[in-house]
Structure formats: structure tokens, C-alpha cells
Amino acid sequence: MGFPVDGKVVEQVELMRWKTWPWRLDIWPFAILYAAWLVVILPSIDLADAAITLGAFGILHVLTWLFTYWSVNFRCFVQANQVKDVREANICKVIPAKFSGTKEIVPVCCRKVLAGASSSLTTDVEEFSFEFRKQRFIFSEEKQCFCKLPYPSKETIGFYIRNTGYGSDAKVNAAMEKWGRNVFEFPQPTFQKLMKEHCMEPFFVFQVFCVCLWCLDEYWYYSLFTLFMLFLFESTMAKSRLKTLTELRRVRVDNQTLMVHRGGKWVKLSGMDLLPGDVVSIGRLAGQNGEDRTIPADMLLLSGSVITNEAILTGESTPQWKVSIQGRELGERLSARRDKGHVLFGGTKILQHTSDKSPHLKTPDGGCLAIILRTGFETSQGKLMRTILFSTERVTANSWESGLFILFLVVFALIAAGYVLKKGLEDPTRSKYKLFLSCSLIITSVIPPELPMELSIAVNTSLIALARRGIFCTEPFRIPFAGKVDICCFDKTGTLTTDDMEFRGFVGLDGSQDLETDTSKVPGRTLEVLAASHALVFVDNKLVGDPLEKAALKGIDWIYTSDEKAMPRKGNGQPVQILQRHHFASHLKRMAVVARVQDEFFAFVKGAPETIQERLLITPPGYVDTYKHYTRQGSRVLALAYKHLPEMPVGEARSLERETVESELTFAGFVVFNCPVRSDSADVLRELKASSHDLVMITGDQALTACHVAGQVHIVSQPSLILTPMKNNDGFEWISPDEMVKIPYRENEVEDLSVSHDLCIGGDCFMMLQRTNALLLVIPYVKVFARVAPEQKELILTTLKMVGRMTLMCGDGTNDVGALKQAHVGVALLNAIPPTQSSESSTSAQPLTSGAKTSKSRKPKSGVSDPAGQSLSVNPIDDGPAGAVPTNRSARSNALTAVSQSHGSSSNRHLNSAERQRQKLKKIMDEMGEEGDGRTAPIVRLGDASMASPFTAKHASVRPITDIIRQGRSTLVTTLQMFKILGLNCLATAYVLSVMYLDGVKLGDMQATISGIFTAAFFLFISHARPLDKLSAQRPHPNIFCSYVFLSLLGQFAIHLTFLISTVKEAEKYMPEECIEPDSEFHPNLVNTVSYMANMMIQVATFAVNYMGHPFNQSIRENKPFLYALAMAVVFFTAITSDMFRSLNDWLKLVPLPQPFGSKILLWAFLMMISCFLWEHTLRWLFPGRMPSWKRRQRQMSSSQKKFA
């Protein structure tokens, strides 16, 4: 019986209880077997057969024990009983959600909660819980399910404001029992423990078993070579994981002392002793060396204001202005998304704080008053830590497909083994031991020992290449998704466009549409509104804030002083004293200030034109036409308005409600800004469009502006239509930007309309689409989404995924978090040095340090693109991530050169400027060359990763999108070619070990070893082929199971088989008639020599023919190491076939070939290779990768949705 779990991480849990050890299924059945052997079998048969029987029992027992380690389900079946009551359970089986980990068995804990521990408890109760991946889940008797441990993070505003902290030691102790200490604690495994874990994995055990079988068949050199490679690979993996975990353990909660209000008084406590619900005094914290300390937990600001640097979490170097929750409705509940402007996040740093003079609880040290919301791993930093910590496991591409593919190969192996067994049993003289050994070797031969290594290479090579480009990934399983992406969604402001706003002037002052650029002709009140309506602030005597607001002040030639006063630099204008700010809110699309000019009080408001229009006393004629005229040109237009306030005390003016301030306004004109498109946006999006990707823009900006920019960057190429409500509220209609074309909206005609027009819809249409269940009918065909809130961005991505699209979302990581998380591939663009233009591919491109920042910081815009946001930019701030100290890169052992190549991840150093960063590039490249082994993923550190999305790009450009897609496609193609090569090699091996084995053909030990070395070298060189710089219009095949792969495998295998049989039959003509015993020791003869040569030629042909170069990766000619390896193989085969070096042939135990026969083999090998090449390339031409057909699924889903509506 499964219990549901409330949360996204765990799907359900099954309650279990351990069996007592004698009753376990891995104990008593085997005790009976061993007793039966001792009493019945041993006396009745000879000792040798009895020993074999005992060995079989032992192997079965060991396998049963190993399966309890490999399979959680099997372990539960063997060692535990399922129970229905949580009180009877002492363990539970956790079944996680998709991509949230693997099933685990965790203990169920029980603790007694005393009466009075919380206001709702009147009697003592028992609390049952379990912990999974550093998250605790508690059993709810009411809901009969497990719920996440609740934190006080969704209470009412009134609850927080009235809170004074813990009043007694009993409540503190109860809270400490419930939530624990505020620390990041996770066990640090030893190398031995990690090595044991790796050596217990099914593939490794299977490989060791295969090695033992080869040893029994007297292949000592080959067995030892394989075993050495296995242990070397696994030890390297264990060492890499140990290094990553050690790096993460350096991140810890700062142990600074804070003032905490407990028991009715202020006391000093360590940051590690903070509890959710504690009321604290928080300010700018400095360490012993004067460096800024980090905030120890997530907390809500109750009074005062704070400037924070959140680079450690979001990667944004831009400081954020946090304001207190005062002034909000007391009955409102705190919202994690809406109210993040009031929350200080753990791990971030306070750059400046301003305490409030009149809080309900006065702080003793002049800090700001705050209440702790979350501690430990539940803080924002803790969540990011969990993501990084649990992404350090081995990663593979298409792991479920690899299992099915092996199953497909096993079928062939079983047929071959069955044939050998049948023939062997017909001969009574055959050794049964040798016969069963042969059958075992055939079946195990189809599962190549290189498989886990090669699958790891496919993903890790891409991870390393991306890290060198300043692109970091915390969820490696998404790399192959990038190769399957068919629709790319982009945010506009700060992503496709720059943050360098250009002030153009004012318009609408006298009813005309002419732009006024001369500020001396602009009314003084208009200038005052623009000069005062901003969120600029001084940090360390530097004015920081939104680039648009700085551009506005510069454009009108006003200055802003540290005492919150705006004044003209010259002229006779009056200074404006700002008394109170009502900060920008994405759902309101406006901001307001209360200001004093001389002795008069005013409300100054700035915001989106359509929002301000609703709040004007009188809307001037031509209001809408004027702002639309400029938005059609791609300009950012803001409406300015003001309101004269009656005379009142300053204290009363500061406490005016927002609704009072922002109503009954007088229009003061429009201000117009230009927001230029980034220099490379158009080129990148043109390349994406040409490479079979659909493009979509999702922005909070105005629809006309969005359509204009979409046209500039090739998202829109046909006439545009915008869905808008009709004026009489009688439905919706499609209107062209110039309002010359009007088409009534009908949901069933949207698909046809999208063929001839590019469609745009605004956020105000979403309610109608949801109400009429038309989301699935409309959203998949829209190219531009405008004026959308953050929740609507998420809804768009969810809808696109529902209809079968493979989605990529590119945003700035601050306001697009929901959409970035929903997309298959979410890319958060963070501000850093623009990517260098290089003809080299990503693996040789310029690396970027994770913390490097440019002198122009970009703003994290709010959900609806409005410049009145509270985001700030500082220039520059040298702020490294907490706990992430620069590390010395020790040289890693390079012994794995046969199967690896040195790579590394980008250095994690924060530098002051782009110049310093570029000066150190050479040093960083040297360090990167020393770190990494080409097999293991690069270490992702805090500051590299963003809590916003799986991919974090340290670029102020959309260029990384092409890098991610190129690497994704390369991973897909590499995985596909590996499966094909492994499949063909295994099928040929199964044939050699079965049919030819019965004829007495065997391989020598040294021959098998040389073959293994060639295979390892070839795999090394093909796995490190770099993707091409240019994305191709052709798409890779997304799955292993498709007509192309099966036909290719079967066709090539038939050609290989024909070549193998022909050469062996031809060799038999030159051999004297002699009887070769299948179980005899290896003796060189002509048939063995020819079959070995043919096998090796097939192996080389398989690698050469199935190598997938253009249009995704380098061709064979461009991949020099692989080309040279092939050339060496050809020279090697020519040498051994022509018997040039007799000593080499003797060492390999190859007999001389009759004179015409050697040339004939080479000719047949050439014809075999040409035939395979023609077959493979014919299939590639017949079955090219295509855009997935999603429209059929979209129609099915929309019709079924209508049916259930």
C-alpha cells in the first residue's frame, strides 16, 4: 500500500518493517539448501560433482545478496514485510518523482511532541517522519499522507508583524527538536567507501564475472588488461566524486553572532542556532578580515530596508533592494514569488542596511528587524546545495534505451548459445564444464565491458566543453534533451535586447505625437515626476540602480543625492524631497513616490501606459494613439502622472496607503526610451531558425514593442496579428500592429491563421483562453507572448510540453524561474564577459571564470518589463561566493590515457574586472588542462550554478544557446553511434564464439588483448570528436529504437557475416584435413589466423562506417586522432597480412598466409567496407532526422480536454 506524499520530490512511500534475520528470504531458503546438500547430495554423488553443486548454490546465494544491494524492490521483498499502519513501520521505501533520484529505503523515525509545543497541541502526540535527500516528511493523520516539514513561510502578514520570537525555553527546545540546527550537514564518505559503492554496481560485478570466465578459458593477458582498465576507471570516478563532495562541504552557514529576541529580551546567538520563527536584528555583517559575511538563513524583513548581493544564488551581480513588509494588508498571506522583494535569502550578502526608527520591536544594535522563515537545507541556498549535491551521481544518456538495446542483443546471444549447447550435447565426448563455459561466454559477450564508460563519456564530454565556455549544468540528464529541442523560447528585455537604455525624450505634452528632446521646453512638473519616480540608492557612496532610471536622470540633467533629494544640475527647477516609495510590483505594473516640493506634497506615479490610463481623472485625446505610435517602433514608453496632496505632517505623508497615492491622477506626459537589440541576437536566432527550430518570444513588455523586436531578430517573418479584446467587450479579435487588418477570433481557425500570419497574444487573453479551454488550441501556434506575468510564462511552457514539444527557455534567471524550471532545457543568462567569437568549437573556446563581472551590470527585470522596478546595478562589486575559496588544482593521475583525455571545469575565481580576467586566461587554461580526466563531469560550485535553472550561462548574450544545442546534438549522435558500434561488435563476437568455436576456431590471448586495445583507442578518439560550429538544418535521430538503426545493424551484420564466412571457408581449402577438438588448447593455424584478421578488419570497418561526422560533429578527416588511428590500423593489417614482419606475426601467433590469399583478403575487406558504407549512407539519406510531428498530439489532447470540460 503506497502513501501519497505532498511535494514535488517524492511521488509516494511504502511502509515496511524489517524481518527478523532467520526469516529473511536470503537466509532460511539457503539454510535448507545447504542442509540438503550436506545430508542428501554429498553422500549420494562423487566429491567433484558435489563440489560443483555446492558452488552453484554459493553463486545463487551471492547473486541473491547482490540483488538486495542493487534493487530496492528486491531488498524489500527479501528482507522486509509491508505494513499498513505507520506505527508498525520502522522503514519505508521512497519512490521519488521523475528525475528526483532513485528509490531508497530510509528509516521511519518516531518522536513524542509534548503538549504546548505549538498552539494547536493540547495533548502529547507521536510524530512519524522520514528524511529523503535532506528533506523531512511528516505523517499527517488527517490527510493520511506524508507532508513536507512545515516552516512558517506562508503565514499572514499580521502573524509576522505581531511576532516577538520565542517566549520560553520550552518553545525553543520544541522548535529545535522539530527543525534542528541551522547547518548544512551531510556525511563525507571516504575514498574506500565510494570505491566499494562503485565496485558493487551491477555492471562492474558483471564485468569482473566476465573477466573470471575469460581467465577460466585461459585468456590471462586480455583478462588482466580489462580488469586494470575497470579498476582505473572506477577509482577515477570515485576520486572525482570525493573531490566534488569535499568542495561542497566547504559551504557552511556563517557562524557569526546575531542579536535574537528570545524570552522577552535580546540575546546574542550563533547563526547556527537560529530557528524558524526567531525574530532577529540583521545588518551589514563584517568578518575578522573586513569581508562581508553571509546571511545565515531565509528571513522576512519586518522593518527597515536592505541592499543585498544575491550573486551566490542567482548568479546576478546586480544588488537587490529589499524593503520591509510594513504597510501590507494584515490578512494577506506571504507569497514566495510575489513577496521576494521583502525576503533576505540565506547565503547572500548585505551591502547596506537602513534601520527603521519606529518598529514595534526596537533592535539594540541599529539593525533591521527580521523574522526567520527557513533554515538549513530548506533555505534557498540549501535547495541549490541539494541540487548540486545530488547531481554528482554517474550520468548517462538514454539509460532506459540502453537496457532495451542490450535485451535486443541478448536474444541473438541466446540463439547462438542454444545452438552451441545443442551441438555440444550431441557429442558425448565433450567436456560439460567447457560446454557451459562456452555458453556463458557467448551470452556475456553481448554486454560489452566498455558500455558504462562510453555512456558516461557521451554526457561528460559535453559537460566539460560547456564548462569551458562558462556554461554550467546542475542536471546533467538534460544534456541529451538539448539535442532534441524543437522550440526555443526567449525572454526579451536583457536577453535579446541590451540593458543600455537610451533616453529619447518626452511626448504627449501638448496633444501632438512629436517627440520633445529639449528639456527646457518640458513642463517642470513632468521633469519632477520623472526625477523622483525611481528606486535609485547609494551603496558605498556610489549611485546604483536600474540603468533605465539612471539614463532618465542623465537625460533630463538632474542629480540625486544621498539624502533622497532630486534636483536639477542647472536651471531654476525646484528640488524634490522623496518621503515614501511604493516599489514596483509586477502584478501592478507601476510604482509611486510621495514627495515634497518646497512646502507642497505630491504623489508621483510612473508605469505602463495602459495601467496609468485607468487611474487618470481625465484621459487626454490621442493618449492611446500616441504611445502606440512609439511602441510600434520598438521603443519603451512609460506614462507619467501626479496628484496634488493636501497639507499634512510628514509622518502622515509617509504612511499614506498605496491605493490613495495612485488614484485620481493627472497626466504629465510620456517618456520614451530606446532599448537596442544585442549585436548578436539576430544572427544567433537566424542560425537557430535555419537549424530546424521554432522560435517564440515571451516577454512582459507591450505587444507592439514585442512584435517590432521579434521582427528584428527573425522570430516574426510574416504579417503580425495581435489578439485583443474588442472595445465593446463583445469577445476578442486579431488586429494588425497598424490596426488596418481586423479578423474575428475563433479558436478553431487559429491553426489556419498561423500559416499566413505570425500571431501575438497578451497576458490579458489568458483568462479567456483558460475559461474556454482553448489553451491547447491557441498557444502552440503563437510566436509572441506579450505583457505576461511570471505565472503565465510557466503556463506557456507547460502547454507546449503537453502537446509534445521539446522546449528550451532562455531568460535572465530572476523573474523567469518558473518557466526556466518547466522547460526541458532552461538556460539562465547571467551577466559576464560577452563570448568571444572563435572559429574553434566549444572545447577550445575561451573559458570564463565563474564570478567574472563586466563593468556594465545588467538589471534583473521584473515580470512585466517596466523600468520602475527595484533592481539595482552596482559598478563594480568584487564579491565571491561564501565558502567557495579558490582551490589549488592538483594534477590528476593521467594513467587512464587509454580511455580518457584531460579536461576540466572553469575556475571559480571572482575578479574585479574584465581586464584582470583576460590577463589570467592562460593560467586558468593551464589549470584546466591539469584537472579532470575526460570521464568525469566538471565540479559545479555555488556561484557557477543558479537556483533559477538547470543551465547557467555566464554570458550577456544568447550565443550560449547554440553551444548547448550543439553539445546536446553531439551527445545524441555520439550515443547512437556507440550503440551501433557496440551492437555490431557484439553480434560478430557472438557468432565467432558459437559457430566458429564448434569448428575449433579460437583466438589467442595476445590476439584478444591487441583487439581490446584497438577498441579502447577507437572509442577514445570518436568520443572526443568536437561538434561543428554551425548548427545544421538536419536534426539527429532522437531515439535508438527507430527503423534507421535496426536496418543499419541488420544490413551491416549480414555483410560482416558474409565476409567472415567467405574468408574462413576459403582458408579451409588451404588447410590439410585434420580434426580440431573444440575444447583443446589454442594452437596457431591458418583458419585461426584468417578469422582473427577478418574479425579485426570488421572491427575497423564498423568504427569507420558508423562514425557520425557532418553535419553534427567533425568528419573523420577533421578528427585527426581518429584518422591517424584508422591509418595505423590499415598499416597494421597490411603488415600482418603481407607477413612483412615475421617476428610480429610470431608474437601474435599468426601463421604465414599462402601468397595469393593475403591479397584476396585485403580486396574482400575493402569490398566489405565499401558495401557497409553504401548501405549506411543510403539509410541516412532515406531516414533523415526530422522535426517531430506534434500537431496530431495537440489535436488529440485539445479534443479530449473539450470532452472532459
Side-chain angles (χ1 to χ4, degrees):
M1 177 185 172
F3 284 83
V5 178
D6 183 24
K8 295 180 180 177
V9 178
V10 180
E11 193 174 301
Q12 65 173 24
V13 297
E14 293 177 7
L15 299 176
M16 320 284 290
R17 185 171 188 84
W18 289 124
K19 296 176 180 177
T20 52
W21 73 267
W23 300 110
R24 286 172 22 177
L25 294 179
D26 56 347
I27 303 290
W28 68 262
F30 290 97
I32 294 171
L33 279 177
Y34 294 137
W37 177 86
L38 192 64
V39 175
V40 178
I41 298 174
L42 185 60
S44 59
I45 58 175
D46 63 74
L47 192 61
D49 289 344
I52 291 173
T53 310
L54 182 62
F57 289 166
I59 290 172
L60 186 62
H61 199 173
V62 169
L63 272 177
T64 306
W65 177 75
L66 283 172
F67 266 102
T68 62
Y69 186 87
W70 295 335
S71 169
V72 169
N73 288 339
F74 188 77
R75 187 181 182 193
C76 289
F77 170 72
V78 168
Q79 299 180 354
N81 291 318
Q82 196 163 344
V83 296
K84 294 182 179 179
D85 190 351
V86 71
R87 288 166 187 79
E88 298 175 14
N90 55 15
I91 56 164
C92 65
K93 180 171 72 176
V94 180
I95 302 168
K98 195 175 182 183
F99 297 129
S100 294
T102 54
K103 293 177 184 176
E104 284 184 29
I105 297 173
V106 296
V108 173
C109 303
C110 174
R111 74 180 183 97
K112 186 164 280 189
V113 183
L114 301 175
S118 70
S119 55
S120 58
L121 279 182
T122 54
T123 59
D124 295 356
V125 295
E126 285 185 326
E127 182 185 86
F128 297 92
S129 64
F130 70 88
E131 189 179 283
F132 175 72
R133 297 203 157 192
K134 298 300 173 187
Q135 282 188 291
R136 204 155 138 238
F137 297 87
I138 296 173
F139 185 71
S140 167
E141 293 284 358
E142 288 178 38
K143 300 178 184 176
Q144 284 295 298
C145 74
F146 283 90
C147 303
K148 272 178 67 176
L149 176 65
Y151 282 77
S153 58
K154 294 180 181 177
E155 307 297 331
T156 61
I157 304 298
F159 167 84
Y160 298 116
I161 289 176
R162 289 189 293 268
N163 206 310
T164 57
Y166 292 100
S168 66
D169 288 344
K171 288 186 176 179
V172 170
N173 293 335
M176 183 64 79
E177 271 193 41
K178 182 176 182 179
W179 287 299
R181 296 190 74 211
N182 180 30
V183 290
F184 295 138
E185 286 182 338
F186 49 90
Q188 174 69 29
T190 61
F191 175 78
Q192 288 79 7
K193 186 179 177 183
L194 281 178
M195 193 62 193
K196 179 189 171 187
E197 186 183 313
H198 279 255
C199 292
M200 289 288 284
E201 288 181 357
F203 255 119
F204 187 85
V205 173
F206 175 78
Q207 288 159 346
V208 171
F209 175 67
C210 290
V211 166
C212 293
L213 289 179
W214 285 109
C215 286
L216 290 174
D217 208 24
E218 297 170 2
Y219 285 93
W220 294 103
Y221 290 121
Y222 179 66
S223 303
L224 292 173
F225 167 73
T226 307
L227 200 62
F228 172 72
M229 278 180 54
L230 290 177
F231 273 102
L232 205 54
F233 174 69
E234 295 299 341
S235 61
T236 311
M237 290 286 288
K239 184 181 176 185
S240 171
R241 283 186 62 195
L242 186 66
K243 185 175 181 180
T244 305
L245 292 169
T246 306
E247 189 81 24
L248 287 173
R249 278 182 68 85
R250 294 180 180 177
V251 181
R252 60 191 68 212
V253 174
D254 258 351
N255 193 22
Q256 72 265 24
T257 304
L258 281 87
M259 297 301 292
V260 183
H261 196 261
R262 282 189 184 173
K265 60 183 180 182
W266 290 97
V267 294
K268 286 186 177 181
L269 282 178
S270 161
M272 294 184 180
D273 294 323
L274 294 178
L275 294 166
D278 265 330
V279 173
V280 301
S281 171
I282 190 81
R284 185 168 185 176
L285 308 164
Q288 293 178 349
N289 302 323
E291 80 280 6
D292 289 329
R293 305 293 292 270
T294 58
I295 298 169
D298 288 0
M299 53 185 78
L300 178 68
L301 207 54
L302 299 179
S303 74
S305 62
V306 170
I307 311 295
T308 64
N309 180 2
E310 296 183 352
I312 190 72
L313 294 185
T314 64
E316 281 286 352
S317 58
T318 308
Q320 306 291 302
W321 192 344
K322 306 289 184 174
V323 294
S324 76
I325 203 77
Q326 298 282 349
R328 295 283 299 277
E329 289 287 334
L330 297 182
E332 263 188 274
R333 286 200 173 272
L334 190 69
S335 165
R337 288 185 180 173
R338 188 189 63 225
D339 299 321
K340 61 184 178 183
H342 306 295
V343 177
L344 307 179
F345 295 108
T348 62
K349 299 185 179 183
I350 294 179
L351 305 178
Q352 180 176 301
H353 76 277
T354 308
S355 58
D356 198 333
K357 294 184 176 63
S358 56
H360 71 286
L361 204 60
K362 204 159 185 67
T363 56
D365 56 358
C368 297
L369 197 67
I371 183 169
I372 306 296
L373 299 178
R374 294 174 292 266
T375 56
F377 277 100
E378 284 301 318
T379 63
S380 298
Q381 185 183 18
K383 288 175 187 172
L384 184 57
M385 284 278 294
R386 284 205 314 263
T387 303
I388 297 172
L389 181 64
F390 296 115
S391 69
T392 59
E393 297 165 357
R394 176 178 289 176
V395 294
T396 60
N398 298 315
S399 54
W400 68 271
E401 287 191 321
S402 65
L404 289 176
F405 189 78
I406 288 170
L407 203 62
F408 165 73
L409 296 177
V410 165
V411 172
F412 282 88
L414 288 172
I415 294 169
Y419 176 74
V420 170
L421 188 64
K422 178 176 177 294
K423 291 287 185 183
L425 291 174
E426 289 174 0
D427 183 0
T429 62
R430 287 287 302 269
S431 163
K432 301 290 186 293
Y433 161 73
K434 286 282 188 180
L435 183 61
F436 282 109
L437 179 62
S438 302
C439 292
S440 302
L441 281 170
I442 292 166
I443 295 170
T444 55
S445 70
V446 299
I447 306 176
E450 310 94 33
L451 186 65
M453 291 190 242
E454 304 311 333
L455 292 179
S456 296
I457 286 171
V459 175
N460 289 337
T461 303
S462 292
L463 285 175
I464 292 163
L466 290 174
R468 290 191 163 194
R469 293 284 287 178
I471 304 164
F472 300 91
C473 178
T474 55
E475 297 176 10
F477 64 82
R478 293 187 187 270
I479 291 268
F481 288 172
K484 302 178 186 181
V485 163
D486 56 57
I487 184 165
C488 302
C489 307
F490 292 90
D491 177 37
K492 183 181 80 70
T493 310
T495 301
L496 295 173
T497 61
T498 68
D499 290 313
D500 300 326
M501 291 293 177
E502 298 171 359
F503 173 79
R504 289 186 63 189
F506 298 91
V507 74
L509 303 173
D510 53 3
S512 74
Q513 293 187 0
D514 297 331
L515 192 69
E516 184 57 72
T517 55
D518 186 356
T519 54
S520 63
K521 297 178 183 178
V522 177
R525 190 69 68 223
T526 301
L527 296 175
E528 289 166 3
V529 175
L530 184 60
S533 302
H534 60 71
L536 299 175
V537 70
F538 278 85
V539 174
D540 295 335
N541 297 318
K542 291 177 182 175
L543 185 66
V544 297
D546 189 332
L548 182 141
E549 293 173 347
K550 285 175 147 183
L553 275 182
K554 185 180 177 183
I556 61 175
D557 204 22
W558 279 53
I559 58 171
Y560 180 63
T561 61
S562 56
D563 58 351
E564 296 194 318
K565 190 178 285 185
M567 60 182 70
R569 197 181 295 273
K570 54 190 175 183
N572 301 321
Q574 300 296 330
V576 180
Q577 179 69 54
I578 298 170
L579 303 176
Q580 173 68 15
R581 282 185 176 92
H582 292 285
H583 285 271
F584 175 81
S586 60
H587 61 288
L588 298 176
K589 298 188 252 186
R590 62 181 182 271
M591 76 161 293
V593 297
V594 177
R596 185 171 61 188
V597 182
Q598 291 181 312
D599 294 326
E600 294 181 285
F601 292 94
F602 289 92
F604 294 150
V605 184
K606 175 179 72 173
E610 61 269 32
T611 304
I612 301 299
Q613 183 181 1
E614 300 166 359
R615 301 190 159 265
L616 295 177
L617 277 172
I618 302 170
T619 304
Y623 180 96
V624 174
D625 292 338
T626 302
Y627 82 75
K628 283 188 174 181
H629 174 75
Y630 286 93
T631 53
R632 285 190 192 103
Q633 300 171 19
S635 296
R636 172 82 64 83
V637 180
L638 299 172
L640 306 175
Y642 68 93
K643 174 183 181 178
H644 193 281
L645 298 173
E647 194 173 330
M648 64 184 82
V650 172
E652 189 179 333
R654 291 183 193 275
S655 59
L656 284 173
E657 289 188 3
R658 184 163 192 159
E659 187 58 34
T660 306
V661 172
E662 296 177 343
S663 62
E664 300 178 347
L665 302 172
T666 302
F667 180 62
F670 296 111
V671 59
V672 182
F673 296 88
N674 263 1
C675 186
V677 173
R678 291 193 190 278
S679 57
D680 61 350
S681 292
D683 293 338
V684 171
L685 268 68
R686 186 191 294 116
E687 185 179 352
L688 289 172
K689 200 167 190 175
S691 57
S692 304
H693 294 95
D694 289 336
L695 304 178
V696 167
M697 179 188 286
I698 306 176
T699 179
D701 217 336
Q702 217 268 350
L704 292 169
T705 305
C707 285
H708 179 83
V709 175
Q712 289 180 296
V713 295
H714 312 293
I715 291 175
V716 169
S717 55
Q718 301 181 109
S720 301
L721 290 177
I722 302 167
L723 186 62
T724 52
M726 290 183 177
K727 290 179 181 176
N728 54 4
N729 290 326
D730 189 24
F732 287 74
E733 61 182 350
W734 296 102
I735 300 179
S736 61
D738 58 7
E739 300 186 7
M740 300 298 289
V741 179
K742 295 186 179 182
I743 302 172
Y745 163 74
R746 295 185 187 87
E747 60 185 44
N748 294 323
E749 297 175 1
V750 172
E751 183 179 349
D752 296 333
L753 198 60
S754 67
V755 175
S756 56
H757 294 81
D758 287 326
L759 307 181
C760 168
I761 67 171
D764 53 357
C765 302
F766 273 79
M767 289 294 289
M768 179 274 292
L769 294 176
Q770 286 174 301
R771 192 175 61 251
T772 58
N773 288 315
L775 284 172
L776 289 168
L777 287 170
V778 178
I779 284 181
Y781 299 101
V782 174
K783 288 292 183 72
V784 179
F785 297 90
R787 280 286 187 248
V788 287
E791 296 78 17
Q792 292 170 332
K793 291 185 179 184
E794 196 171 339
L795 179 63
I796 293 164
L797 268 297
T798 308
T799 307
L800 291 172
K801 284 165 67 180
M802 282 174 68
V803 300
R805 303 304 301 264
M806 212 65 170
T807 56
L808 178 146
M809 174 69 194
C810 179
D812 67 359
T814 52
N815 202 56
D816 305 318
V817 175
L820 290 168
K821 285 286 187 185
Q822 274 297 330
H824 291 102
V825 180
V827 186
L829 294 185
L830 309 178
N831 205 27
I833 296 164
T836 54
Q837 297 297 322
S838 171
S839 59
E840 294 295 319
S841 69
S842 61
T843 50
S844 59
Q846 173 186 357
L848 297 169
T849 54
S850 62
K853 303 171 182 64
T854 54
S855 57
K856 286 186 180 176
S857 292
R858 54 189 295 274
K859 74 182 186 73
K861 61 170 188 3
S862 47
V864 178
S865 298
D866 192 292
Q870 59 222 29
S871 52
L872 308 172
S873 61
V874 67
N875 185 14
I877 291 177
D878 183 18
D879 232 287
V885 296
T887 55
N888 293 321
R889 314 290 181 133
S890 59
R892 191 187 291 271
S893 169
N894 203 27
L896 200 61
T897 49
V899 287
S900 70
Q901 180 177 350
S902 291
H903 280 297
S905 59
S906 292
S907 169
N908 190 35
R909 311 245 172 117
H910 284 248
L911 304 175
N912 285 332
S913 64
E915 287 71 28
R916 280 185 60 193
Q917 192 268 349
R918 289 191 178 98
Q919 287 169 8
K920 293 192 176 182
L921 277 182
K922 188 177 184 301
K923 183 179 177 183
I924 294 163
M925 282 296 285
D926 292 342
E927 290 172 349
M928 286 169 60
E930 289 181 352
E931 180 176 350
D933 49 36
R935 282 300 191 279
T936 55
I939 297 171
V940 180
R941 301 177 178 87
L942 285 171
D944 293 338
S946 163
M947 64 179 179
S949 69
F951 289 89
T952 305
K954 302 277 183 171
H955 296 290
S957 157
V958 290
R959 177 65 64 184
I961 302 302
T962 56
D963 290 328
I964 291 168
I965 291 175
R966 285 189 306 116
Q967 292 296 342
R969 286 185 171 187
S970 178
T971 300
L972 274 183
V973 165
T974 303
T975 307
L976 190 65
Q977 74 185 11
M978 281 180 179
F979 275 113
K980 287 177 65 184
I981 291 166
L982 290 170
L984 286 167
N985 283 346
C986 292
L987 289 173
T989 306
Y991 175 79
V992 169
L993 291 173
S994 56
V995 179
M996 296 179 71
Y997 188 81
L998 288 173
D999 294 335
V1001 178
K1002 293 181 72 175
L1003 292 182
D1005 192 3
M1006 190 53 67
Q1007 293 172 357
T1009 307
I1010 294 295
S1011 176
I1013 291 172
F1014 264 110
T1015 303
F1018 283 143
F1019 268 127
L1020 167 68
F1021 297 136
I1022 67 167
S1023 66
H1024 287 289
R1026 298 201 294 261
L1028 298 181
D1029 290 337
K1030 187 174 175 57
L1031 286 170
S1032 70
Q1034 185 181 331
R1035 300 176 61 83
H1037 290 277
N1039 301 308
I1040 296 169
F1041 291 95
C1042 59
S1043 307
Y1044 157 69
V1045 174
F1046 276 101
L1047 289 174
S1048 177
L1049 279 176
L1050 295 175
Q1052 288 186 64
F1053 181 55
I1055 295 168
H1056 292 168
L1057 211 55
T1058 304
F1059 170 65
L1060 199 56
I1061 293 170
S1062 302
T1063 50
V1064 172
K1065 292 293 182 191
E1066 187 72 14
E1068 287 174 353
K1069 295 177 183 176
Y1070 295 91
M1071 275 191 70
E1073 287 292 330
E1074 59 178 284
C1075 180
I1076 302 172
E1077 288 294 328
D1079 296 333
S1080 62
E1081 289 186 9
F1082 170 75
H1083 293 290
N1085 58 52
L1086 185 61
V1087 173
N1088 158 258
T1089 299
V1090 169
S1091 64
Y1092 173 68
M1093 290 177 179
N1095 246 324
M1096 291 290 280
M1097 289 170 183
I1098 286 172
Q1099 193 178 76
V1100 173
T1102 301
F1103 278 97
V1105 169
N1106 291 283
Y1107 177 85
M1108 291 187 178
H1110 288 191
F1112 306 111
N1113 287 336
Q1114 293 173 312
S1115 65
I1116 292 180
R1117 281 185 299 177
E1118 293 164 337
N1119 187 353
K1120 299 296 183 188
F1122 184 54
L1123 179 65
Y1124 297 151
L1126 284 178
M1128 283 177 62
V1130 170
V1131 170
F1132 175 76
F1133 294 137
T1134 306
I1136 61 172
T1137 309
S1138 58
D1139 207 9
M1140 283 184 196
F1141 307 103
R1142 184 65 253 165
S1143 56
L1144 173 66
N1145 284 26
D1146 288 341
W1147 181 62
L1148 290 172
K1149 297 186 178 178
L1150 300 175
V1151 300
L1153 298 179
Q1155 187 47 46
F1157 190 40
S1159 304
K1160 192 181 287 187
I1161 287 180
L1162 287 175
L1163 177 64
W1164 286 359
F1166 177 74
L1167 291 174
M1168 176 268 296
M1169 197 172 200
I1170 292 295
S1171 303
C1172 289
F1173 180 84
L1174 292 174
W1175 175 254
E1176 170 67 16
H1177 284 264
T1178 303
L1179 289 176
R1180 289 186 193 180
W1181 178 74
L1182 289 173
F1183 299 98
R1186 293 190 177 93
M1187 279 284 279
S1189 54
W1190 54 271
K1191 291 187 179 181
R1192 183 187 301 171
R1193 182 173 175 182
Q1194 179 256 342
R1195 292 189 192 105
Q1196 289 172 348
M1197 293 204 66
S1198 58
S1199 60
S1200 63
Q1201 192 181 62
K1202 291 280 185 188
K1203 213 176 284 181
F1204 292 110

